[in-house]
Amino acid sequence: MNAALETRGLTRHFGGFTAVDDVSFSLPAGARQALIGPNGAGKTTLVNLLSGALPASAGQVVLGGEDVSALPMHLRVQRGLVRTFQISQLFAELSPLESVTLAVLQRAGRGAVWWRPLRRHRAEQDEAAALLARLRFSDAEATARTDLLPYGKRRMLEIALALALKPRVLLLDEPAAGVPPGESREVLDTVAALPRDVAILLIEHDMDLVFRFAERITVLALGAVLAEGTPAGIQRHPAVREAYLGEMAHAPAA
Amino acid sequence: MLTILLDGIASGMLLFVLACGLSVTMGLMNFVNLAHGAFGMAGGYVLVVLLQRWGWPFLACLPAAFLATALLGLLLERTLYARLYRREHLDQVLFSIGLVFMAGATADWLMGAQQQIIQLPAWLSGRVDLGIGELGRYRIFLILVCAGIVAGLQLGLLRTRFGAQLRAAVDDATVARGLGIPVPRLFAITFALGSGLAGLGGALGVEVLGLDPTFPLKYLVYMLIVVAVGGANTILGPALAALLLGVVDVAGKYWLPQLGAFIIYTAMVALLLLRPHGLLAKQA
Amino acid sequence: MRYAAEVALWLLALGSYWLFPDYLGLLAQVWIAALFAVSLDLLVGYAGVVTLGHAAFFGLGAYVAGILAVQGWGEPFSGLLLAGLAAALLGLLTAPLVLRGGELAGLMVTLGLALMLYEAANKAAFLTGGADGLQGVEIWPLFGRFRFDLYGRIAFLYALGVLFLCFMALRFLVATPFGLALRGIRGNALRMAAIGTPVRRRLMAAYAVSAGVAGLAGALLAQTAQFVSLDVLAFHRSAEGLLMLLIGGLGALYGAVLGAAAFTVAHHLLAEMTPQFWEFWIGAALVMLVMLGRGGMLGLLRRLGR
């Protein structure tokens, strides 16, 4: 079976510290996979390596059979590898409609059009409006300034921007972080409803969400893959239990 | 040849004293303070007034220049600068350019546009034969004083509690805050100290670098090079950078006067391209 | 409503030809300053690239147009166009240097490049006249018919016409997907890359366009004044451009025009005072406007309108 996304010996050092250590894993087409691990396990660094936000110290990232290790982020995105951010990265002064329209235009290859005004790009604007409506943005919310929206809506916009790109592989970096429990289900239901051919890797702390969503789970600890398997198998895995119990024992008093 | 080298070392050390405050403002506080040179100019004028008009002894004028500009720095930091730490760089740039213009105009209005000339005390004027050639007494004085300042700063940074807190804050301001280090007070004191040193550098430099209302802009580029090349985490880095710059500048003016300031601007751009992150080593 | 206000503004600009016949030279300066400010706004206000060296492009445009005329080609339109192209080319060549490192390093590079160009023009006296300025700029009549006159009639109309055309082109540009992408980059460059945008390529394009328009403004000054001094490349000009944007409001093309007009007229009115005094007020205005926050005149008008 062909992997949608694959890494081979992916490694990243920061000075003398190895944040991601020789990670090889693969994400099959249509996967619903979760990546978990205690704080500092290197989850977000791994996402940054996969998406191209950080260059790898060693190893490869292979997207649909193509080695994309040397490509910058925007070229990986153009090939269908899309991510969301744990800390929302939005356009504070633009409206959600403008923001999503930007993403749709870019996906359609019209991001640099300078000879035709925006208002004559009806199809792209309609698509953006429809996507936002599907994610339960009211018209008023879709046209308000993004920085004036409530937090939950901004997390949804973070996902809307990714969906607008029609990804083949979607990396979700704690999409429900900071969202109240009721709304976090809504966030994940939206994601789960995506077409089956989209491969999804969910990075998440909340184990309820992980077990509800994931068909396979990869556990990362100290930058390396500790275990991989079905949710039931992972729950019983002795090393995983120890890694998590260990985290609690050493948790800072903050 | 030796004279050029010595002149270069002297003006390089002056540049360091002028610029070291800026490297902390940019590195620690992440604040683009293009008005740093204005404090140097202020110190220079304090010296001119005290020495030439009020007849103070030269050695008493230097600490006075330091104190006056440090107080000025403290005042401005508390009233204006502190409000802009979290603003965008564009705001900081515009604000500090505004200060430069105001400072230049004020200096012009109070003191006139001409170059200031001072009368050094007899024991600092003239030359002295050290066996390796005739050297200006004032140059030697400058090198000794500035070397003392570098050593003092280095010791202070490494051996005192204040220095340890400052280094912690440069490394990571958020963590430092979490550890209970009073960062705002640290910023204020450091800013005042940096301004005072700039003032002292300006006062010492009247004889060597000159002093007129264009001083802040003229030496801005030099100070930025020192900060860009030297980095913000050490004392010795900027000190070495300043020495190198001083020697290159004096030699360039001596041997290639027809190129004028072109050499130094080119050096600045080239260094920025080679070390684009030197300005803010801890940007991440 | 908005449309009517725009038409009224341009009619007022044209009408000032008859309203203030004694100030046509000054008004031509206003249009030139406005063109410079608008070009800067595209870069700073829309794309979010901070620069301290925009005078480099203005100055290059001025010198290209001026030197062409001194060397015997005084036809205004082709000179204007060549000057704009030269400045755009310089923008395209220097953009990679400016956009290479972080924001702060880029800022210093713009400053350094502008200082280099100033010093180069200062030293290349055989070509530029150096500190004495470029003498003997002779511009041929516009369309072969309308001679640049002492009262500044032709200068006024020429500068206003070029401003109007460039303004409309930029107004169109910022309302295209490209313009929206620039605002996106200013808002969050990381996110722009994460939706697949080649951020640097967009910024380079914006840089070249902005530089080209600034070059046109410089050429206008050289052609209407029939003289070029080193002043066109001075740091002051870059800083004053930013001040105009602060006065008028960043990221709004009409704000840039209003800011440029307010600045130029204020400069003229205060010219009786000593120049040093004027510099003090520029500085004070910068400090106060930053302290009050951005938005400028246009922001104030919007707030009043609400």
Side-chain angles (χ1 to χ4, degrees):
Chain A
M1 180 169 163
N2 211 347
L5 181 69
E6 202 179 345
T7 70
R8 295 176 192 147
L10 201 61
T11 302
R12 170 72 199 199
H13 308 290
F14 291 106
F17 171 68
T18 304
V20 170
D21 189 3
D22 193 20
V23 167
S24 301
F25 87 102
S26 83
L27 195 66
R32 294 288 183 271
Q33 195 157 331
L35 179 71
I36 65 172
N39 272 328
K43 300 186 297 287
T44 291
T45 305
L46 182 61
V47 173
N48 284 337
L49 293 177
L50 293 175
S51 63
L54 273 177
S57 308
Q60 290 169 316
V61 178
V62 180
L63 178 66
E66 183 194 2
D67 183 355
V68 296
S69 312
L71 296 183
M73 189 193 297
H74 69 269
L75 292 180
R76 298 188 199 192
V77 174
Q78 288 174 10
R79 283 160 174 75
L81 174 57
V82 173
R83 70 173 288 187
T84 67
F85 293 86
Q86 185 186 350
I87 298 164
S88 297
Q89 299 289 337
L90 301 172
F91 307 112
E93 295 179 8
L94 301 185
S95 69
L97 186 60
E98 288 172 311
S99 308
V100 176
T101 303
L102 258 180
V104 174
L105 282 165
Q106 184 59 49
R107 187 204 74 220
R110 302 210 169 84
V113 168
W114 53 268
W115 56 88
R116 200 146 63 105
L118 203 55
R119 64 187 153 76
R120 302 249 322 265
H121 289 79
R122 277 257 56 105
E124 287 83 357
Q125 283 179 317
D126 289 347
E127 184 186 333
L131 175 61
L132 285 169
R134 189 150 63 81
L135 299 183
R136 300 204 205 145
F137 278 77
S138 69
D139 285 352
E141 285 165 338
T143 51
R145 267 176 67 120
T146 295
D147 55 358
L148 300 178
L149 292 175
Y151 184 80
K153 279 291 173 213
R154 278 186 270 154
R155 288 310 286 170
M156 282 305 271
L157 179 56
E158 180 76 28
I159 291 174
L161 285 171
L163 297 189
L165 299 169
K166 300 207 169 142
R168 282 195 291 153
V169 178
L170 181 56
L171 311 173
L172 296 167
D173 195 355
E174 301 198 26
V179 176
E183 291 176 43
S184 67
R185 279 166 183 259
E186 193 184 328
V187 170
L188 225 65
D189 289 346
T190 311
V191 173
L194 284 175
R196 268 318 304 214
D197 58 343
V198 180
I200 301 175
L201 182 67
L202 171 72
I203 294 91
E204 187 52 73
H205 258 301
D206 184 336
M207 287 305 141
D208 283 348
L209 290 181
V210 167
F211 286 113
R212 240 158 32 90
F213 170 83
E215 290 160 3
R216 276 188 81 76
I217 295 177
T218 304
V219 185
L220 208 63
L222 300 172
V225 176
L226 183 69
E228 193 174 312
T230 60
I234 290 296
Q235 242 169 341
R236 287 192 303 269
H237 200 291
V240 175
R241 297 182 72 98
E242 205 212 331
Y244 272 84
L245 288 173
E247 185 198 19
M248 282 176 202
H250 298 296
Chain B
M1 181 69 204
L2 192 66
T3 321
I4 292 169
L5 189 67
L6 202 71
D7 272 9
I9 291 174
S11 64
M13 289 197 140
L14 270 178
L15 285 177
F16 169 75
V17 175
L18 273 171
C20 63
L22 182 63
S23 87
V24 179
T25 321
M26 293 238 244
L28 166 65
M29 309 174 194
N30 198 7
F31 192 105
V32 189
N33 182 19
L34 301 185
H36 189 71
F39 293 103
M41 180 179 75
Y45 281 118
V46 168
L47 176 103
V48 168
V49 170
L50 293 181
L51 187 74
Q52 298 302 113
R53 300 202 184 159
W54 296 6
W56 283 33
F58 185 74
L59 285 184
C61 297
L62 294 177
F66 173 85
L67 282 177
T69 43
L71 270 179
L72 182 66
L74 190 65
L75 191 71
L76 287 174
E77 201 273 347
R78 286 291 87 195
T79 52
L80 298 177
Y81 279 90
R83 295 158 193 256
L84 297 174
Y85 285 142
R86 280 161 194 279
R87 297 274 280 275
E88 283 178 44
H89 282 154
L90 176 61
D91 284 332
Q92 302 173 349
V93 162
L94 293 168
F95 164 77
S96 55
I97 290 177
L99 280 190
V100 170
F101 283 177
M102 288 171 79
T106 309
D108 196 335
W109 182 52
L110 291 175
M111 306 292 293
Q114 75 281 11
Q115 278 285 339
Q116 298 293 330
I117 298 161
I118 55 166
Q119 196 69 49
L120 286 172
W123 59 277
L124 281 175
S125 352
R127 303 182 152 265
V128 59
D129 194 342
L130 288 181
I132 44 171
E134 291 233 318
L135 300 175
R137 286 172 200 255
Y138 190 63
R139 299 287 191 278
I140 298 171
F141 172 77
L142 272 184
I143 291 172
L144 291 177
V145 170
C146 294
I149 292 171
V150 173
L153 285 176
Q154 178 77 0
L155 278 179
L157 202 59
L158 292 180
R159 296 288 162 80
T160 65
R161 188 178 149 74
F162 182 82
Q165 291 185 339
L166 191 60
R167 276 182 293 139
V170 171
D171 270 354
D172 194 328
T174 322
V175 171
R177 257 184 218 106
L179 290 173
I181 293 176
V183 173
R185 207 176 71 196
L186 199 68
F187 278 17
I189 296 174
T190 309
F191 193 91
L193 199 66
S195 311
L197 282 172
L200 180 60
L204 286 166
V206 175
E207 179 72 12
V208 179
L209 306 175
L211 181 67
D212 65 41
T214 65
F215 183 92
L217 272 183
K218 193 155 63 183
Y219 285 100
L220 175 64
V221 175
Y222 288 81
M223 293 189 286
L224 288 174
I225 298 176
V226 171
V227 177
V229 180
N233 299 354
T234 65
I235 293 291
L236 293 178
L240 288 175
L243 276 184
L244 193 68
L245 182 64
V247 173
V248 169
D249 188 42
V250 170
K253 277 180 184 152
Y254 186 80
W255 278 306
L256 295 166
Q258 65 275 23
L259 285 181
F262 194 75
I263 297 179
I264 223 71
Y265 298 148
T266 315
M268 171 183 177
V269 172
L271 287 168
L272 282 164
L273 294 177
L274 291 172
R275 287 201 52 169
H277 299 294
L279 279 168
L280 284 184
K282 290 281 168 189
Q283 205 157 30
Chain C
M1 176 61 210
R2 198 199 132 98
Y3 205 63
E6 285 191 55
V7 173
L9 195 73
W10 287 109
L11 283 178
L12 182 70
L14 185 62
S16 60
Y17 181 84
W18 293 279
L19 289 174
F20 307 104
D22 297 335
Y23 293 98
L24 295 182
L26 176 69
L27 287 165
Q29 301 279 322
V30 170
W31 312 142
I32 293 168
L35 191 56
F36 181 61
V38 166
S39 80
L40 190 60
D41 199 26
L42 181 72
L43 198 58
V44 180
Y46 283 88
V49 178
V50 186
T51 168
L52 284 175
H54 213 50
F57 306 114
F58 184 89
L60 182 73
Y63 273 111
V64 168
I67 290 170
L68 273 176
V70 169
Q71 302 295 328
W73 182 254
E75 202 287 309
F77 287 115
S78 52
L80 183 74
L81 221 57
L82 279 171
L85 283 176
L89 190 66
L90 182 69
L92 207 56
L93 289 177
T94 55
L97 307 181
V98 173
L99 301 172
R100 210 177 103 106
E103 186 193 31
L104 200 47
L107 186 70
M108 298 307 152
V109 172
T110 60
L111 175 66
L113 288 172
L115 289 169
M116 275 170 78
L117 206 61
Y118 180 92
E119 203 54 29
N122 185 21
K123 296 294 172 188
F126 66 95
L127 192 65
T128 63
D132 297 333
L134 188 66
Q135 314 272 356
V137 177
E138 260 184 60
I139 302 298
W140 303 346
L142 217 54
F143 301 111
R145 279 190 62 191
F146 305 103
R147 197 170 294 283
F148 283 91
D149 56 301
L150 279 176
Y151 307 102
R153 286 192 200 114
I154 295 304
F156 175 102
L157 294 171
Y158 179 48
L160 182 59
V162 174
L163 169 67
F164 180 75
L165 290 178
C166 290
F167 186 94
M168 285 304 153
L170 287 178
R171 184 175 171 282
F172 181 87
L173 185 68
V174 297
T176 63
F178 176 78
L180 185 61
L182 293 186
R183 288 169 63 202
I185 291 170
R186 171 172 155 76
N188 191 332
L190 174 63
R191 168 54 82 179
M192 281 307 277
I195 62 170
T197 309
V199 169
R200 267 171 51 113
R201 207 188 308 163
R202 298 282 181 281
L203 287 180
M204 278 178 66
Y207 206 83
V209 172
S210 169
V213 176
L216 292 179
L220 277 183
L221 181 67
Q223 292 178 339
T224 54
Q226 315 232 351
F227 175 73
V228 184
S229 76
L230 270 181
D231 190 52
V232 294
L233 285 164
F235 174 72
H236 271 242
R237 191 169 294 276
S238 302
E240 284 168 8
L242 290 170
L243 177 57
M244 292 173 201
L245 295 188
L246 267 188
I247 294 173
L250 270 166
L253 295 177
Y254 279 105
V257 174
L258 290 177
F263 176 89
T264 313
V265 171
H267 193 174
H268 178 77
L269 293 178
L270 292 169
E272 285 92 56
M273 298 195 205
T274 57
Q276 305 93 293
F277 221 66
W278 163 242
E279 193 180 285
F280 182 86
W281 289 115
I282 296 181
L286 275 168
V287 169
M288 278 190 296
L289 285 165
V290 170
M291 284 314 206
L292 290 175
R294 304 224 200 101
M297 286 163 66
L298 217 57
L300 201 66
L301 285 176
R302 280 196 197 120
R303 260 174 281 162
L304 289 176
R306 237 170 248 151

